[in-house]
Coordinates of all heavy atoms in Angstrom, one line a residue:
M1 N 0.9 -1.2 0.0 CA 0.0 0.0 0.0 C 0.9 1.3 0.0 O 0.6 2.2 -0.7 CB -0.9 0.0 1.2 CG -1.9 1.2 1.2 SD -3.2 1.0 2.5 CE -2.6 2.1 3.7
A2 N 1.9 1.2 0.8 CA 2.8 2.4 0.9 C 3.3 2.9 -0.5 O 3.4 4.0 -0.8 CB 3.9 2.2 1.9
S3 N 3.7 1.9 -1.3 CA 4.4 2.2 -2.5 C 3.4 2.8 -3.5 O 3.6 3.7 -4.3 CB 5.1 1.0 -3.1 OG 4.1 0.0 -3.4
V4 N 2.1 2.2 -3.4 CA 1.1 2.7 -4.3 C 0.8 4.1 -3.9 O 0.8 5.0 -4.8 CB -0.2 1.8 -4.3 CG1 -1.3 2.4 -5.0 CG2 0.2 0.5 -4.8
L5 N 0.7 4.4 -2.7 CA 0.3 5.7 -2.2 C 1.5 6.6 -2.5 O 1.3 7.8 -2.9 CB 0.0 5.7 -0.8 CG -1.4 5.2 -0.3 CD1 -1.6 5.2 1.2 CD2 -2.5 6.1 -1.0
G6 N 2.7 6.1 -2.3 CA 3.9 6.9 -2.5 C 4.0 7.5 -3.8 O 4.4 8.7 -4.0
I7 N 3.6 6.8 -4.9 CA 3.6 7.3 -6.2 C 2.7 8.5 -6.4 O 3.0 9.5 -6.9 CB 3.3 6.2 -7.2 CG1 4.4 5.1 -7.3 CG2 3.1 6.7 -8.6 CD1 4.0 3.8 -7.9
S8 N 1.5 8.3 -5.9 CA 0.6 9.4 -6.2 C 0.9 10.6 -5.3 O 0.8 11.7 -5.7 CB -0.9 8.9 -5.8 OG -1.0 8.6 -4.5
V9 N 1.4 10.4 -4.1 CA 1.8 11.5 -3.2 C 3.0 12.3 -3.9 O 3.0 13.5 -3.9 CB 2.1 11.0 -1.8 CG1 2.8 12.2 -1.1 CG2 0.8 10.6 -1.1
A10 N 3.9 11.5 -4.4 CA 5.1 12.1 -5.0 C 4.7 12.9 -6.2 O 5.2 14.1 -6.4 CB 6.2 11.1 -5.4
A11 N 3.8 12.4 -7.0 CA 3.4 13.1 -8.2 C 2.7 14.4 -7.8 O 2.9 15.4 -8.4 CB 2.5 12.2 -9.1
A12 N 1.8 14.2 -6.8 CA 1.1 15.4 -6.4 C 2.0 16.4 -5.8 O 1.9 17.7 -6.0 CB 0.0 15.0 -5.4
A13 N 3.0 16.0 -5.1 CA 3.9 16.9 -4.4 C 4.6 17.9 -5.4 O 4.9 19.0 -5.1 CB 4.9 16.2 -3.5
E14 N 4.9 17.4 -6.6 CA 5.6 18.2 -7.6 C 4.7 19.3 -8.1 O 5.1 20.3 -8.6 CB 6.0 17.2 -8.9 CG 7.1 16.3 -8.5 CD 7.2 15.3 -9.6 OE1 6.8 15.6 -10.8 OE2 7.9 14.3 -9.4
N15 N 3.4 19.1 -8.0 CA 2.4 20.0 -8.4 C 1.6 20.6 -7.3 O 0.4 20.3 -7.3 CB 1.6 19.5 -9.6 CG 2.3 19.4 -10.9 OD1 3.1 20.2 -11.2 ND2 2.1 18.3 -11.5
A16 N 2.3 21.2 -6.3 CA 1.5 21.6 -5.2 C 1.4 23.1 -5.2 O 2.4 23.8 -5.4 CB 2.2 21.1 -3.8
F17 N 0.2 23.6 -5.0 CA -0.1 25.1 -5.2 C -0.8 25.6 -4.0 O -1.5 24.8 -3.4 CB -0.9 25.3 -6.5 CG -0.1 24.9 -7.7 CD1 -0.3 23.6 -8.3 CD2 0.7 25.7 -8.3 CE1 0.4 23.1 -9.5 CE2 1.5 25.3 -9.5 CZ 1.2 24.1 -10.0
T18 N -0.6 26.8 -3.7 CA -1.2 27.5 -2.6 C -1.9 28.7 -2.9 O -1.3 29.6 -3.7 CB -0.2 27.7 -1.5 OG1 0.4 26.5 -1.1 CG2 -0.8 28.3 -0.2
L19 N -3.1 28.9 -2.5 CA -3.8 30.2 -2.6 C -4.0 30.7 -1.1 O -4.3 29.8 -0.2 CB -5.1 29.9 -3.2 CG -5.3 29.8 -4.6 CD1 -6.8 29.4 -5.0 CD2 -5.0 31.0 -5.4
T20 N -4.0 32.0 -0.9 CA -4.4 32.6 0.3 C -5.7 33.4 0.2 O -5.9 34.0 -0.9 CB -3.3 33.3 1.0 OG1 -3.0 34.4 0.2 CG2 -2.0 32.6 1.3
I21 N -6.4 33.5 1.2 CA -7.5 34.4 1.3 C -7.2 35.4 2.4 O -6.9 35.0 3.5 CB -8.9 33.6 1.7 CG1 -9.2 32.5 0.8 CG2 -10.0 34.6 1.9 CD1 -10.3 31.5 1.3
K22 N -7.2 36.7 2.0 CA -7.0 37.6 3.0 C -7.9 38.9 2.5 O -7.9 39.2 1.4 CB -5.5 38.1 3.0 CG -5.2 39.0 4.1 CD -3.6 39.1 4.3 CE -3.1 39.8 5.6 NZ -3.9 41.0 5.9
D23 N -8.6 39.5 3.6 CA -9.5 40.6 3.4 C -10.5 40.1 2.3 O -10.9 41.0 1.4 CB -8.8 41.8 2.9 CG -7.8 42.3 4.1 OD1 -8.2 42.1 5.3 OD2 -6.8 42.9 3.7
H24 N -10.9 38.9 2.3 CA -11.9 38.3 1.4 C -11.4 38.4 -0.2 O -12.4 38.4 -0.9 CB -13.2 39.0 1.6 CG -13.6 39.1 3.0 ND1 -13.7 38.1 3.9 CD2 -14.0 40.2 3.8 CE1 -14.1 38.5 5.1 NE2 -14.2 39.7 5.1
R25 N -10.2 38.4 -0.3 CA -9.6 38.3 -1.7 C -8.6 37.1 -1.8 O -7.9 36.8 -0.8 CB -9.0 39.6 -2.1 CG -9.9 40.7 -2.2 CD -9.2 42.0 -2.6 NE -10.2 43.1 -2.5 CZ -11.0 43.4 -3.4 NH1 -11.0 42.7 -4.5 NH2 -11.9 44.4 -3.2
F26 N -8.5 36.6 -3.0 CA -7.6 35.5 -3.2 C -6.3 36.1 -3.7 O -6.2 37.0 -4.5 CB -8.1 34.4 -4.3 CG -9.3 33.6 -3.8 CD1 -10.6 33.9 -4.2 CD2 -9.1 32.6 -2.9 CE1 -11.7 33.2 -3.8 CE2 -10.1 31.8 -2.5 CZ -11.4 32.1 -2.9
E27 N -5.2 35.5 -3.2 CA -3.9 35.7 -3.8 C -3.1 34.4 -4.0 O -3.0 33.6 -3.1 CB -3.2 36.6 -2.7 CG -1.7 36.9 -2.9 CD -1.4 37.7 -4.2 OE1 -2.2 38.6 -4.5 OE2 -0.5 37.4 -4.9
P28 N -2.7 34.2 -5.3 CA -3.0 35.1 -6.4 C -4.4 34.8 -6.9 O -5.0 33.7 -6.7 CB -2.0 34.5 -7.5 CG -1.8 33.1 -7.1 CD -1.9 33.0 -5.6
A29 N -4.9 35.8 -7.6 CA -6.3 35.7 -8.1 C -6.2 34.8 -9.5 O -7.3 34.2 -9.9 CB -6.9 37.1 -8.5
E30 N -5.1 34.7 -10.0 CA -4.9 33.8 -11.2 C -3.8 32.9 -10.9 O -2.6 33.3 -10.7 CB -4.6 34.6 -12.5 CG -5.7 35.5 -13.1 CD -5.5 36.0 -14.4 OE1 -4.2 36.0 -14.8 OE2 -6.4 36.3 -15.1
L31 N -4.1 31.6 -10.9 CA -3.1 30.5 -10.5 C -2.9 29.6 -11.7 O -3.8 29.0 -12.2 CB -3.7 29.8 -9.3 CG -2.8 28.7 -8.9 CD1 -1.6 29.2 -8.1 CD2 -3.5 27.7 -7.8
R32 N -1.6 29.6 -12.1 CA -1.3 28.8 -13.3 C -0.8 27.4 -12.9 O 0.0 27.3 -12.0 CB -0.3 29.5 -14.1 CG -0.8 30.7 -14.9 CD 0.2 31.6 -15.5 NE -0.4 32.8 -15.9 CZ -1.1 33.0 -16.9 NH1 -1.2 32.2 -17.9 NH2 -1.6 34.2 -17.2
V33 N -1.5 26.4 -13.5 CA -1.1 25.0 -13.2 C -0.8 24.3 -14.5 O -1.4 24.7 -15.5 CB -2.1 24.3 -12.3 CG1 -2.5 25.1 -11.1 CG2 -3.4 24.0 -13.2
P34 N 0.0 23.3 -14.5 CA 0.2 22.5 -15.7 C -1.0 21.7 -16.1 O -1.7 21.2 -15.3 CB 1.4 21.6 -15.4 CG 1.4 21.5 -14.0 CD 0.8 22.7 -13.5
A35 N -1.3 21.8 -17.4 CA -2.5 21.0 -17.9 C -2.2 19.5 -17.9 O -1.1 19.1 -18.0 CB -2.8 21.5 -19.3
N36 N -3.2 18.8 -17.8 CA -3.2 17.3 -17.9 C -2.3 16.6 -16.8 O -1.8 15.5 -17.2 CB -2.7 16.9 -19.3 CG -3.6 17.5 -20.4 OD1 -4.8 17.4 -20.3 ND2 -3.0 18.2 -21.3
Q37 N -2.2 17.2 -15.7 CA -1.4 16.6 -14.7 C -2.2 16.8 -13.4 O -2.8 17.8 -13.1 CB 0.0 17.2 -14.5 CG 0.9 17.1 -15.6 CD 2.3 17.8 -15.4 OE1 2.7 17.9 -14.3 NE2 2.8 18.3 -16.4
P38 N -2.2 15.7 -12.4 CA -2.7 16.0 -11.2 C -2.0 16.9 -10.3 O -0.8 17.1 -10.6 CB -2.8 14.6 -10.5 CG -1.5 13.9 -11.1 CD -1.5 14.5 -12.6
A39 N -2.7 17.6 -9.5 CA -2.0 18.7 -8.6 C -2.8 18.8 -7.3 O -3.9 18.2 -7.2 CB -2.0 20.0 -9.3
T40 N -2.2 19.3 -6.4 CA -2.9 19.6 -5.1 C -3.0 21.1 -5.0 O -2.0 21.9 -5.3 CB -2.3 19.0 -3.9 OG1 -0.9 19.5 -3.7 CG2 -2.2 17.4 -4.0
L41 N -4.0 21.5 -4.4 CA -4.2 23.0 -4.1 C -4.6 23.1 -2.7 O -5.6 22.6 -2.2 CB -5.4 23.5 -5.0 CG -5.9 24.8 -4.7 CD1 -4.7 25.9 -5.0 CD2 -7.1 25.2 -5.6
T42 N -3.7 23.9 -2.0 CA -4.1 24.3 -0.6 C -4.6 25.7 -0.5 O -4.0 26.6 -1.1 CB -2.8 24.1 0.3 OG1 -2.4 22.8 0.2 CG2 -3.0 24.5 1.7
V43 N -5.7 25.9 0.2 CA -6.3 27.2 0.2 C -6.2 27.5 1.7 O -6.7 26.9 2.6 CB -7.8 27.2 -0.3 CG1 -8.3 28.6 -0.1 CG2 -7.9 26.7 -1.7
K44 N -5.5 28.7 2.0 CA -5.2 29.0 3.3 C -6.1 30.3 3.6 O -5.9 31.3 2.9 CB -3.7 29.5 3.6 CG -2.8 28.4 3.5 CD -1.4 28.7 3.8 CE -0.4 27.6 3.8 NZ 0.9 27.9 4.2
N45 N -7.0 30.2 4.6 CA -7.8 31.3 4.9 C -7.2 32.1 6.0 O -7.3 31.6 7.2 CB -9.2 30.8 5.3 CG -10.2 32.0 5.6 OD1 -9.9 33.1 5.5 ND2 -11.4 31.6 6.0
L46 N -6.7 33.3 5.7 CA -6.0 34.0 6.8 C -7.0 35.1 7.3 O -6.6 35.8 8.4 CB -4.8 34.8 6.1 CG -3.8 34.0 5.3 CD1 -2.8 35.0 4.7 CD2 -3.2 32.9 6.2
D47 N -8.2 35.1 7.0 CA -9.2 35.9 7.6 C -9.7 35.2 8.8 O -9.6 34.0 9.0 CB -10.4 36.2 6.6 CG -10.0 37.2 5.6 OD1 -9.1 38.0 5.8 OD2 -10.6 37.2 4.5
A48 N -10.3 36.0 9.7 CA -10.9 35.4 10.9 C -12.2 34.8 10.7 O -12.7 34.0 11.6 CB -11.0 36.5 12.0
T49 N -12.8 35.1 9.5 CA -14.2 34.6 9.2 C -14.1 33.4 8.2 O -13.1 33.3 7.5 CB -15.0 35.7 8.7 OG1 -14.3 36.3 7.5 CG2 -15.3 36.8 9.6
P50 N -15.1 32.6 8.3 CA -15.1 31.4 7.3 C -15.3 31.8 5.9 O -15.8 32.9 5.6 CB -16.2 30.5 7.8 CG -17.1 31.4 8.6 CD -16.3 32.5 9.2
E51 N -14.8 31.1 4.9 CA -15.1 31.3 3.6 C -15.4 30.0 2.9 O -14.9 28.9 3.5 CB -13.9 32.0 2.9 CG -14.0 32.3 1.5 CD -15.2 33.2 1.3 OE1 -16.3 32.8 1.1 OE2 -14.9 34.5 1.3
E52 N -16.3 30.0 2.0 CA -16.6 28.8 1.2 C -15.8 28.8 -0.1 O -16.2 29.8 -0.9 CB -18.1 28.6 1.0 CG -18.3 27.2 0.3 CD -19.8 26.9 0.1 OE1 -20.5 27.8 -0.4 OE2 -20.3 25.8 0.4
F53 N -14.9 27.9 -0.3 CA -14.2 27.9 -1.6 C -15.1 27.1 -2.5 O -15.4 26.0 -2.2 CB -12.8 27.2 -1.4 CG -12.0 27.3 -2.7 CD1 -11.3 28.2 -3.2 CD2 -12.0 26.0 -3.4 CE1 -10.6 28.3 -4.4 CE2 -11.2 26.0 -4.7 CZ -10.6 27.2 -5.1
E54 N -15.5 27.7 -3.6 CA -16.3 27.0 -4.5 C -16.0 27.2 -6.0 O -15.6 28.3 -6.4 CB -17.8 27.6 -4.4 CG -18.8 26.8 -5.3 CD -20.2 26.9 -4.8 OE1 -20.4 27.0 -3.6 OE2 -21.2 26.9 -5.6
S55 N -16.0 26.0 -6.7 CA -15.8 26.1 -8.1 C -16.6 24.9 -8.7 O -16.3 23.8 -8.5 CB -14.3 25.9 -8.4 OG -14.1 25.8 -9.8
K56 N -17.5 25.3 -9.6 CA -18.3 24.2 -10.2 C -17.5 23.5 -11.2 O -17.5 22.3 -11.3 CB -19.5 24.9 -11.0 CG -20.6 25.3 -10.0 CD -21.9 25.7 -10.7 CE -23.0 26.0 -9.7 NZ -22.7 27.1 -8.9
S57 N -16.6 24.3 -11.9 CA -15.8 23.5 -13.0 C -14.6 22.7 -12.4 O -14.3 21.7 -12.9 CB -15.2 24.6 -14.0 OG -14.4 25.5 -13.2
L58 N -14.2 23.1 -11.2 CA -13.2 22.2 -10.5 C -13.8 21.1 -9.6 O -13.3 20.3 -9.1 CB -12.2 23.0 -9.7 CG -11.4 24.0 -10.4 CD1 -10.6 24.9 -9.4 CD2 -10.3 23.3 -11.3
R59 N -15.1 21.3 -9.5 CA -16.0 20.4 -8.6 C -15.4 20.4 -7.2 O -15.2 19.3 -6.6 CB -15.9 18.9 -9.2 CG -16.5 18.8 -10.6 CD -16.4 17.4 -11.1 NE -16.4 17.3 -12.6 CZ -15.8 16.4 -13.4 NH1 -15.1 15.6 -12.7 NH2 -15.8 16.5 -14.6
I60 N -15.3 21.5 -6.7 CA -14.9 21.7 -5.3 C -15.9 22.7 -4.6 O -16.3 23.7 -5.1 CB -13.5 22.3 -5.2 CG1 -12.4 21.4 -5.7 CG2 -13.1 22.8 -3.7 CD1 -11.1 22.0 -5.8
E61 N -16.3 22.3 -3.4 CA -17.1 23.2 -2.6 C -16.9 22.8 -1.2 O -17.2 21.7 -0.7 CB -18.6 22.9 -3.0 CG -19.5 23.9 -2.2 CD -21.0 23.8 -2.7 OE1 -21.3 22.7 -3.3 OE2 -21.7 24.7 -2.5
K62 N -16.3 23.8 -0.5 CA -15.9 23.4 0.9 C -15.8 24.7 1.8 O -15.1 25.7 1.3 CB -14.6 22.7 1.0 CG -14.3 22.2 2.4 CD -13.1 21.3 2.3 CE -12.5 20.8 3.7 NZ -13.5 20.0 4.5
V63 N -16.3 24.6 2.9 CA -16.2 25.7 3.9 C -14.8 25.6 4.6 O -14.5 24.6 5.1 CB -17.4 25.7 4.9 CG1 -17.1 26.8 6.0 CG2 -18.7 26.0 4.2
I64 N -14.1 26.7 4.6 CA -12.8 26.7 5.3 C -12.9 27.7 6.4 O -13.2 28.9 6.2 CB -11.7 27.2 4.4 CG1 -11.7 26.3 3.1 CG2 -10.3 27.2 5.1 CD1 -10.7 26.8 2.0
P65 N -12.9 27.2 7.6 CA -13.1 28.1 8.8 C -11.9 29.2 8.8 O -11.0 29.1 8.2 CB -12.9 27.1 10.0 CG -13.2 25.9 9.5 CD -12.8 25.9 8.0
G66 N -12.2 30.3 9.6 CA -11.2 31.3 9.7 C -9.9 30.8 10.2 O -9.8 29.8 11.0
N67 N -8.7 31.3 9.8 CA -7.5 30.9 10.2 C -7.2 29.4 10.1 O -6.7 28.9 11.0 CB -7.1 31.4 11.7 CG -7.3 32.9 11.8 OD1 -6.6 33.7 11.0 ND2 -8.1 33.5 12.7
S68 N -7.7 28.9 9.0 CA -7.6 27.5 8.7 C -7.2 27.3 7.2 O -7.2 28.1 6.5 CB -8.8 26.8 9.0 OG -9.2 26.9 10.4
E69 N -6.9 26.1 6.9 CA -6.7 25.8 5.5 C -7.2 24.5 5.2 O -7.5 23.5 5.9 CB -5.1 25.8 5.2 CG -4.4 24.7 6.0 CD -2.9 24.8 5.8 OE1 -2.3 25.9 5.9 OE2 -2.3 23.8 5.3
A70 N -7.3 24.2 3.9 CA -7.9 22.9 3.3 C -7.0 22.7 2.0 O -6.6 23.5 1.4 CB -9.4 23.0 2.9
T71 N -6.8 21.3 1.8 CA -6.1 20.9 0.7 C -7.0 20.0 -0.2 O -7.6 19.1 0.3 CB -4.8 20.1 1.1 OG1 -4.0 21.0 1.8 CG2 -4.1 19.6 -0.2
F72 N -7.0 20.4 -1.5 CA -7.9 19.6 -2.5 C -6.9 18.9 -3.5 O -6.0 19.5 -3.9 CB -8.7 20.6 -3.2 CG -9.6 21.5 -2.3 CD1 -9.2 22.8 -2.0 CD2 -10.7 21.0 -1.7 CE1 -9.9 23.6 -1.2 CE2 -11.5 21.8 -0.8 CZ -11.1 23.1 -0.5
T73 N -7.4 17.9 -4.0 CA -6.8 17.2 -5.1 C -7.4 17.8 -6.4 O -8.7 17.7 -6.5 CB -6.9 15.8 -5.1 OG1 -6.3 15.3 -3.9 CG2 -6.3 15.0 -6.3
L74 N -6.7 18.3 -7.3 CA -7.2 18.7 -8.6 C -7.0 17.5 -9.6 O -5.9 17.1 -9.7 CB -6.4 19.9 -9.2 CG -6.4 21.2 -8.3 CD1 -5.6 22.3 -9.0 CD2 -7.9 21.6 -8.1
R75 N -8.0 17.1 -10.3 CA -7.9 16.2 -11.3 C -7.0 16.7 -12.5 O -7.0 18.0 -12.5 CB -9.3 15.8 -11.8 CG -10.0 16.9 -12.6 CD -11.4 16.5 -13.0 NE -12.0 17.4 -13.9 CZ -12.5 18.6 -13.6 NH1 -12.6 19.0 -12.3 NH2 -13.1 19.4 -14.5
P76 N -6.5 16.0 -13.3 CA -5.8 16.5 -14.5 C -6.8 17.4 -15.3 O -7.8 16.9 -15.7 CB -5.3 15.2 -15.3 CG -5.3 14.2 -14.3 CD -6.4 14.4 -13.3
L77 N -6.4 18.6 -15.5 CA -7.2 19.6 -16.1 C -6.9 19.9 -17.6 O -5.6 20.1 -17.9 CB -7.2 20.9 -15.3 CG -7.6 20.9 -13.9 CD1 -7.3 22.2 -13.2 CD2 -9.2 20.5 -13.9
K78 N -7.8 19.8 -18.5 CA -7.6 20.3 -19.9 C -7.1 21.7 -19.8 O -7.5 22.5 -18.9 CB -8.8 20.1 -20.7 CG -9.2 18.7 -20.9 CD -10.4 18.6 -21.8 CE -11.0 17.2 -21.9 NZ -12.4 17.1 -22.2
S79 N -6.4 22.3 -20.8 CA -6.0 23.7 -20.9 C -7.3 24.4 -20.9 O -8.3 24.1 -21.5 CB -5.4 23.9 -22.2 OG -4.2 23.3 -22.3
G80 N -7.3 25.5 -20.1 CA -8.5 26.3 -19.9 C -8.4 27.0 -18.7 O -7.5 27.0 -17.8
R81 N -9.6 27.8 -18.5 CA -9.7 28.6 -17.2 C -10.9 28.1 -16.5 O -11.9 27.6 -17.0 CB -10.1 30.0 -17.6 CG -8.9 30.8 -18.3 CD -9.2 32.2 -18.8 NE -8.0 32.9 -19.2 CZ -7.4 33.8 -18.3 NH1 -8.0 34.2 -17.2 NH2 -6.3 34.4 -18.7
Y82 N -10.6 28.0 -15.1 CA -11.5 27.4 -14.2 C -11.8 28.4 -13.1 O -10.9 28.7 -12.3 CB -11.0 26.1 -13.6 CG -10.6 25.0 -14.8 CD1 -9.5 25.1 -15.5 CD2 -11.6 24.0 -15.0 CE1 -9.2 24.1 -16.4 CE2 -11.2 23.1 -15.9 CZ -10.1 23.2 -16.7 OH -9.9 22.3 -17.7
K83 N -13.0 28.9 -13.1 CA -13.3 30.0 -12.2 C -13.6 29.5 -10.8 O -14.0 28.4 -10.6 CB -14.5 30.8 -12.6 CG -14.3 31.6 -13.8 CD -15.6 32.4 -14.2 CE -15.5 33.0 -15.5 NZ -14.6 34.3 -15.6
F84 N -13.1 30.3 -9.8 CA -13.6 29.9 -8.4 C -14.0 31.1 -7.7 O -13.7 32.3 -8.1 CB -12.4 29.2 -7.6 CG -11.1 29.9 -7.7 CD1 -10.9 30.9 -6.7 CD2 -10.0 29.6 -8.5 CE1 -9.7 31.6 -6.6 CE2 -8.9 30.3 -8.4 CZ -8.6 31.3 -7.6
V85 N -14.8 31.0 -6.6 CA -15.1 32.2 -5.8 C -15.2 31.7 -4.4 O -15.1 30.5 -4.0 CB -16.6 32.6 -6.2 CG1 -16.8 33.1 -7.6 CG2 -17.6 31.5 -5.8
G86 N -15.0 32.7 -3.6 CA -15.4 32.6 -2.1 C -16.9 33.0 -2.0 O -17.2 34.1 -2.1
E87 N -17.7 31.9 -1.8 CA -19.1 32.2 -1.9 C -19.6 33.1 -0.8 O -20.6 33.7 -1.1 CB -19.9 30.8 -1.9 CG -21.2 31.0 -2.5 CD -22.0 29.6 -2.6 OE1 -21.7 28.8 -1.8 OE2 -22.9 29.6 -3.4
F88 N -19.0 33.2 0.3 CA -19.5 34.1 1.2 C -19.2 35.5 1.0 O -19.8 36.5 1.7 CB -18.9 33.7 2.7 CG -19.4 32.3 3.2 CD1 -18.7 31.6 4.2 CD2 -20.4 31.7 2.6 CE1 -19.0 30.3 4.6 CE2 -20.8 30.4 3.0 CZ -20.2 29.8 4.0
H89 N -18.2 35.8 0.2 CA -17.9 37.2 -0.2 C -17.6 37.3 -1.7 O -16.5 37.6 -2.2 CB -16.6 37.7 0.5 CG -16.8 37.5 2.1 ND1 -16.4 36.4 2.7 CD2 -17.2 38.3 3.0 CE1 -16.7 36.4 4.0 NE2 -17.2 37.7 4.2
E90 N -18.6 37.0 -2.5 CA -18.5 36.7 -3.8 C -18.0 37.9 -4.6 O -17.5 37.8 -5.7 CB -19.8 36.1 -4.4 CG -19.5 35.1 -5.5 CD -20.8 34.3 -5.9 OE1 -21.7 34.1 -5.0 OE2 -20.9 33.8 -7.0
D91 N -18.4 39.1 -4.2 CA -18.1 40.3 -4.9 C -16.6 40.5 -4.9 O -16.0 41.0 -5.9 CB -18.7 41.6 -4.3 CG -20.2 41.6 -4.5 OD1 -20.7 40.8 -5.4 OD2 -20.9 42.3 -3.8
A92 N -15.9 40.1 -3.8 CA -14.5 40.5 -3.7 C -13.6 39.2 -4.0 O -12.6 39.3 -4.6 CB -14.1 41.0 -2.3
A93 N -14.1 38.1 -3.5 CA -13.3 36.9 -3.6 C -13.6 36.0 -4.8 O -14.6 35.3 -4.9 CB -13.6 36.0 -2.3
K94 N -12.8 36.2 -5.8 CA -12.9 35.5 -7.0 C -11.6 35.3 -7.7 O -10.7 36.1 -7.6 CB -14.0 36.0 -8.0 CG -13.8 37.6 -8.3 CD -15.1 38.1 -8.9 CE -15.1 39.6 -8.7 NZ -16.4 40.2 -9.2
G95 N -11.4 34.3 -8.5 CA -10.2 34.1 -9.3 C -10.4 32.9 -10.2 O -11.5 32.4 -10.5
E96 N -9.3 32.6 -10.8 CA -9.3 31.5 -11.8 C -8.0 30.6 -11.7 O -6.9 31.1 -11.5 CB -9.3 32.0 -13.3 CG -10.6 32.8 -13.6 CD -10.6 33.4 -15.1 OE1 -9.6 33.8 -15.4 OE2 -11.7 33.2 -15.7
V97 N -8.3 29.3 -11.9 CA -7.1 28.5 -12.1 C -6.9 28.4 -13.7 O -7.9 28.2 -14.4 CB -7.3 27.1 -11.5 CG1 -6.4 26.0 -12.1 CG2 -7.4 27.0 -10.1
I98 N -5.7 28.7 -14.1 CA -5.4 28.5 -15.5 C -4.6 27.4 -15.8 O -3.4 27.3 -15.4 CB -4.8 29.9 -16.0 CG1 -5.6 31.1 -15.7 CG2 -4.4 29.8 -17.5 CD1 -5.0 32.4 -15.9
A99 N -5.1 26.4 -16.5 CA -4.4 25.2 -16.8 C -3.7 25.3 -18.2 O -4.4 25.8 -19.1 CB -5.3 24.0 -16.7
E100 N -2.4 25.2 -18.3 CA -1.8 25.5 -19.7 C -0.5 24.6 -19.8 O -0.1 24.1 -18.8 CB -1.4 26.9 -19.8 CG -0.4 27.4 -18.7 CD -0.1 28.9 -18.7 OE1 -0.8 29.6 -19.4 OE2 0.8 29.3 -17.9
Ligands
CU1 CU1 -21.6 26.8 -2.1

């Protein structure tokens, strides 16, 4: 089991990306990832209030409490743009994953 898991963890570790939420905005608002490769995305909420990270195209929807983080597995993405929002502050908190 360890070796099977080791392969996927190692592959994911090469494509590990981080977004932060601060003052209800994402940094960076545009995150470039390699197309057609699995990746992990960690979203760190530096605000004191919860935020819901939501992306229909990435198929992610999760509430991240204040001063907490969550890590998601991104499936291999075709080239393109994948919008995401912080649903609790949708006017300010928005961005895109750009797979290329
Ligand atoms: Cu939602």
Side-chain angles (χ1 to χ4, degrees):
M1 185 169 103
S3 62
V4 172
L5 285 177
I7 290 168
S8 63
V9 169
E14 290 171 17
N15 288 320
F17 299 92
T18 301
L19 283 174
T20 60
I21 301 167
K22 191 165 192 310
D23 299 327
H24 312 305
R25 291 178 189 278
F26 289 105
E27 172 62 36
E30 290 191 342
L31 181 70
R32 288 169 194 277
V33 306
N36 305 309
Q37 294 179 31
T40 61
L41 174 61
T42 298
V43 181
K44 295 185 178 184
N45 183 3
L46 304 181
D47 287 334
T49 54
E51 185 57 273
E52 183 178 48
F53 183 81
E54 173 155 339
S55 172
K56 288 191 172 65
S57 54
L58 295 173
R59 298 180 204 145
I60 294 171
E61 182 174 26
K62 186 175 173 64
V63 173
I64 306 171
N67 299 308
S68 298
E69 64 183 54
T71 298
F72 306 101
T73 299
L74 299 180
R75 69 185 190 278
L77 298 170
K78 292 179 189 159
S79 295
R81 290 175 169 257
Y82 301 81
K83 290 181 190 289
F84 56 82
V85 298
E87 203 177 22
F88 295 162
H89 304 88
E90 213 167 334
D91 289 345
K94 49 193 165 190
E96 292 181 320
V97 169
I98 302 169
E100 58 186 12

